[in-house]
Amino acid sequence: MTVRTPDPNPGWLSDHDLDETRNRVPMLYVEAVPVRVDPDGLVAEVGLLLRGSHTGEITRSFVSGRVMHGERVRDALMRHLEKDLGPTAFPVLPVSTVPFAVTEYFPYPGASQFFDARQHAVALAYVVPVSGECQPRQDALELTWLTPAEAATDAVAAEMEGGRGALLRQALAHLGALPG
């Protein structure tokens, strides 16, 4: 059983073909950590989504999704931000598509701190400021805004699936917002 919302624009592979492909080749994803910044440009809040995982559990996560064949990384990032946060989030995409981290998820535990039982995936991770009203959509149940100190806690990391708590800490360190 899945709690995920079917993709209204599956783009390039049927569910069966996607499962077959996931068993054979690494999949490319983008992940975005939405943030709100204060007037000085410092991170004031970090947005985490509450969603149902592929195992049926409720977990915290980032904006995330596949890059479709022939799609620019920048376009995939914008598509997933709008899909998960709504059309009035007003994200500010980075000028460069160089991510703050490249994360490799393995389908078996122990290969790295990042795990996804469905597949071997490579994710390009970005921090994306948003200035508008966020209204979670698709399989996102809600968006919770946390201070950097709240986001860096072990309790929040424990709510995140597949090792994403470690990726959240990497994002906070990248921003100079990891509490000391």
Side-chain angles (χ1 to χ4, degrees), residues 45-123:
E45 296 178 305
V46 177
L48 296 178
L49 295 167
L50 184 69
R51 61 173 39 151
S53 73
H54 67 278
T55 61
E57 299 175 83
I58 302 298
T59 61
R60 295 273 174 207
S61 192
F62 307 122
V63 170
S64 177
R66 289 187 315 271
V67 177
M68 294 190 300
H69 179 66
E71 183 177 37
R72 295 182 324 154
V73 167
R74 180 175 208 77
D75 294 337
L77 194 53
M78 185 57 98
R79 178 171 56 85
H80 289 293
L81 285 159
E82 183 174 319
K83 176 183 70 92
D84 285 349
L85 301 180
T88 59
F90 302 130
V92 179
L93 293 184
V95 173
S96 169
T97 56
V98 175
F100 77 84
V102 176
T103 307
E104 193 169 15
Y105 294 90
F106 287 92
Y108 37 84
S112 83
Q113 63 187 350
F114 302 104
F115 172 72
D116 185 337
R118 302 169 301 163
Q119 64 193 337
H120 180 188
V122 176

Side-chain angles (χ1 to χ4, degrees), residues 5-173:
T5 304
D7 189 350
N9 179 17
W12 55 293
L13 294 173
S14 69
D15 287 343
H16 173 74
D17 290 343
L18 177 59
D19 289 341
E20 264 313 295
T21 304
R22 281 179 167 157
N23 287 326
R24 298 177 191 275
V25 298
M27 302 294 290
L28 180 61
Y29 281 75
V30 291
E31 292 191 302
V33 180
V35 297
R36 293 207 186 272
V37 296
D38 67 16
D40 294 325
L42 301 174
V43 174
E45 296 178 305
V46 177
L48 296 178
L49 295 167
L50 184 69
R51 61 173 39 151
S53 73
H54 67 278
T55 61
E57 299 175 83
I58 302 298
T59 61
R60 295 273 174 207
S61 192
F62 307 122
V63 170
S64 177
R66 289 187 315 271
V67 177
M68 294 190 300
H69 179 66
E71 183 177 37
R72 295 182 324 154
V73 167
R74 180 175 208 77
D75 294 337
L77 194 53
M78 185 57 98
R79 178 171 56 85
H80 289 293
L81 285 159
E82 183 174 319
K83 176 183 70 92
D84 285 349
L85 301 180
T88 59
F90 302 130
V92 179
L93 293 184
V95 173
S96 169
T97 56
V98 175
F100 77 84
V102 176
T103 307
E104 193 169 15
Y105 294 90
F106 287 92
Y108 37 84
S112 83
Q113 63 187 350
F114 302 104
F115 172 72
D116 185 337
R118 302 169 301 163
Q119 64 193 337
H120 180 188
V122 176
L124 308 176
Y126 299 90
V127 173
V128 179
V130 296
S131 61
E133 183 69 28
C134 296
Q135 301 170 354
R137 303 175 356 161
Q138 298 290 325
D139 62 343
L141 304 172
E142 75 175 33
L143 177 68
T144 304
W145 291 101
L146 304 171
T147 66
E150 292 168 333
T153 65
D154 290 339
V156 169
E159 293 178 354
M160 300 191 78
E161 175 179 46
R164 284 180 177 85
L167 185 58
L168 177 57
R169 287 186 177 126
Q170 286 179 357
L172 292 169

